[in-house]
């Protein structure tokens, strides 16, 4: 079956702009999580959605937001981009058991 | 809060040899999951192996096995008969069970398999 699909793969944005990243989970998976990966901070949890509800949120500013649709697809949005938002953004999905996550290949965001 | 420590930033080993990657963690939880993920240059995080804390038996997946020492809070990964395709970043991760949806990752170990 198809894996976790993230689009786009690469993105270049200018400081101050906003960006939306998309994630399609594995069919049947209702939990979707987002992580930010940077060389300096490593992998950090952004938020998790389950059945269209945000259930957990990491320690990120309000500029980072997300949502989940009824088909479990998820989007994350970053407004007023800063240079420090340059990172690999990874999406992961899981069944309702939440006993392990399958990751996508990520979206590489560069803010210039 | 949970923390995960990987003390080996980089390792290298000859093809076909065995290598062990170290991971320690700190938690007050009694029930949790531990994972090893592999991230090759393709960037996708691939689940290598999973261990449930209440299970005393060490998990094994083909050439990959773990040494889980709950009292010592240690969770090392052993790769046997290493192959060139094993070259990647390896991350150890922790997740509470049940009810917590967040993975806490270590800083990773860059493993290079030398032909």
């Amino acid at each position: 079956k198809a894996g976790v699909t993230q689009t786009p793969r690469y993105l270049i944005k200018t400081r101050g702009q906003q960006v939306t990243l998309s994630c399609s989970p594995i069919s049947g998976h209702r939990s979707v999580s987002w992580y930010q990966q940077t060389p300096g901070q490593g992998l950090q949890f952004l938020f998790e959605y389950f059945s269209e509800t945000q259930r957990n949120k990491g320690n990120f500013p309000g500029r980072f937001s997300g949502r989940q649709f009824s088909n479990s697809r998820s989007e994350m949005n970053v407004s007023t981009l800063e240079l420090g938002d340059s990172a690999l953004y990874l999406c992961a999905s899981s069944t309702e058991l939440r006993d392990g996550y399958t990751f996508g290949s990520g979206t590489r965001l560069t803010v210039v | 809060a949970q923390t995960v420590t990987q003390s080996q930033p980089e390792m290298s080993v000859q093809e076909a040899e065995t290598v062990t990657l170290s991971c320690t963690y700190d938690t007050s939880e009694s029930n949790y999951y531990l994972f090893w993920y592999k991230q090759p240059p393709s960037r996708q995080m691939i689940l290598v192996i999973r261990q449930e804390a209440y299970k005393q038996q060490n998990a094994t997946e083909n050439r990959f096995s773990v040494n889980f020492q709950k009292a010592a809070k240690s969770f090392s990964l052993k790769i046997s008969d290493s192959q060139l395709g094993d070259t990647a970043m390896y991350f150890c991760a922790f997740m509470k069970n049940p009810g917590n949806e967040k993975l806490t990752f270590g800083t990773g170990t860059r493993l290079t398999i030398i032909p």
Side-chain angles (χ1 to χ4, degrees):
Chain A
K1 58 183 175 182
V4 178
T5 303
Q6 291 188 246
T7 56
R9 289 266 293 173
Y10 300 91
L11 206 50
I12 300 175
K13 289 287 188 179
T14 303
R15 226 173 357 171
Q17 287 186 314
Q18 74 166 15
V19 66
T20 299
L21 312 182
S22 179
C23 173
S24 294
I26 290 173
S27 178
H29 284 194
R30 295 164 63 192
S31 170
V32 175
S33 294
W34 289 88
Y35 290 81
Q36 182 196 64
Q37 185 177 21
T38 60
Q41 299 297 317
L43 283 147
Q44 294 186 288
F45 172 76
L46 280 155
F47 29 65
E48 191 258 358
Y49 286 87
F50 184 82
S51 293
E52 302 179 65
T53 301
Q54 186 181 88
R55 296 179 64 103
N56 203 354
K57 190 177 191 304
N59 188 25
F60 279 81
R63 300 184 297 106
F64 291 81
S65 63
R67 59 177 175 169
Q68 186 180 34
F69 301 95
S70 58
N71 62 358
S72 293
R73 189 177 73 84
S74 177
E75 290 180 347
M76 68 163 281
N77 184 276
V78 188
S79 62
T80 319
L81 284 165
E82 300 176 0
L83 296 179
D85 297 334
S86 295
L88 179 65
Y89 290 88
L90 292 164
C91 168
S93 74
S94 175
T95 66
E96 55 267 28
L97 294 176
R98 302 200 296 279
D99 57 355
Y101 284 90
T102 301
F103 283 80
S105 295
T107 294
R108 171 80 66 189
L109 171 65
T110 302
V111 182
V112 297
Chain B
Q2 285 68 232
T3 59
V4 178
T5 302
Q6 293 181 251
S7 58
Q8 304 153 311
E10 294 189 31
M11 295 186 74
S12 60
V13 65
Q14 293 288 137
E15 191 177 4
E17 291 186 346
T18 295
V19 60
T20 299
L21 280 57
S22 301
C23 173
T24 58
Y25 58 95
D26 188 25
T27 184
S28 57
E29 303 292 329
S30 58
N31 199 10
Y32 47 87
Y33 293 104
L34 293 164
F35 306 88
W36 278 98
Y37 280 93
K38 165 186 175 182
Q39 188 178 39
S42 66
R43 306 178 333 197
Q44 184 173 7
M45 298 281 279
I46 301 165
L47 178 63
V48 175
I49 202 163
R50 184 188 80 165
Q51 176 78 43
E52 296 171 75
Y54 71 88
K55 290 186 176 179
Q56 293 191 349
Q57 186 173 7
N58 289 325
T60 300
E61 288 287 342
N62 300 313
R63 298 182 295 107
F64 299 88
S65 61
V66 298
N67 183 3
F68 174 48
Q69 302 289 327
K70 191 172 183 179
K73 296 180 181 175
S74 171
F75 183 61
S76 61
L77 174 70
K78 185 172 84 171
I79 305 173
S80 303
D81 186 27
S82 56
Q83 301 175 359
L84 297 179
D86 296 332
T87 293
M89 282 289 289
Y90 286 81
F91 292 95
C92 178
F94 171 100
M95 186 171 75
K96 286 198 305 183
N97 173 41
N100 187 290
E101 308 82 6
K102 165 187 164 182
L103 283 163
T104 300
F105 286 91
T107 52
T109 295
R110 184 176 301 279
L111 176 65
T112 301
I113 309 300
I114 303 166

